[in-house]
Amino acid sequence: MTYGPVPRYGHQTQPWQQPDPANVRSWSQQSGPPAWTERPAWAGAQPPAPPWMAAGPPARPDRDPGQVMGIVGLVLAFVFSLIGLACCVGAVIRSHRAGYVNVPAIIGIPVAVLTMIISAVFGPTISAMIADCLVPGSGIYVPGAPAATCPVRP
């Protein structure tokens, strides 16, 4: 079975042209890909960069973009641990993408986690103490003493 002449590399036979019967070979008779007849324009040189990469990588910002968020997250980690944890993680990601290391945010992450653990363990005991002290008439009041002593629930 023959399919027509093998065109030179880079040249296509037009569908309206009839193949030359003397030059027709089957695919089993071919010994590999066609030989190079001309050198491509890009051979031996670096291909041009796409337009979106032509300017190169973006410049590093002068200031760490996550520094303020890291400090806010560290402060919030002591009071509102979940919000502080979210701020610290966001600050670390933002700083990392800009090529900086955000130390306050890195410190704020374990502080927020420890604050959450401590509040989960001791929170019920502290809230029970506060509830006992808020009930009028509870505790022992000594006249002249600076503060009342509240009993702790067993």
Side-chain angles (χ1 to χ4, degrees):
M1 176 181 275
T2 59
Y3 293 102
V6 178
R8 287 188 329 177
Y9 184 78
H11 294 88
Q12 290 279 342
T13 17
Q14 301 301 328
W16 60 85
Q17 294 175 342
Q18 294 295 324
D20 183 16
N23 198 12
V24 173
R25 293 187 297 172
S26 69
W27 288 104
S28 63
Q29 293 171 344
Q30 291 182 6
S31 62
W36 287 89
T37 56
E38 57 191 46
R39 189 174 176 89
W42 53 266
Q46 184 75 14
W52 54 272
M53 278 186 61
R60 183 176 173 182
D62 295 336
R63 245 180 109 217
D64 183 2
Q67 187 72 31
V68 174
M69 186 190 275
I71 294 170
V72 169
L74 179 62
V75 171
L76 288 175
F78 289 102
V79 184
F80 303 108
S81 55
L82 188 60
I83 298 170
L85 179 66
C87 284
C88 288
V89 169
V92 168
I93 291 172
R94 183 181 284 185
S95 297
H96 178 72
R97 287 181 181 166
Y100 287 94
V101 176
N102 194 342
V103 176
I106 292 173
I107 293 172
I109 292 172
V111 168
V113 170
L114 286 174
T115 306
M116 279 193 276
I117 292 172
I118 289 172
S119 65
V121 170
F122 295 112
T125 306
I126 293 172
S127 63
M129 287 173 50
I130 292 172
D132 282 342
C133 287
L134 291 178
V135 175
S138 65
I140 303 166
Y141 178 72
V142 179
T149 318
C150 296
V152 178
R153 284 187 189 172

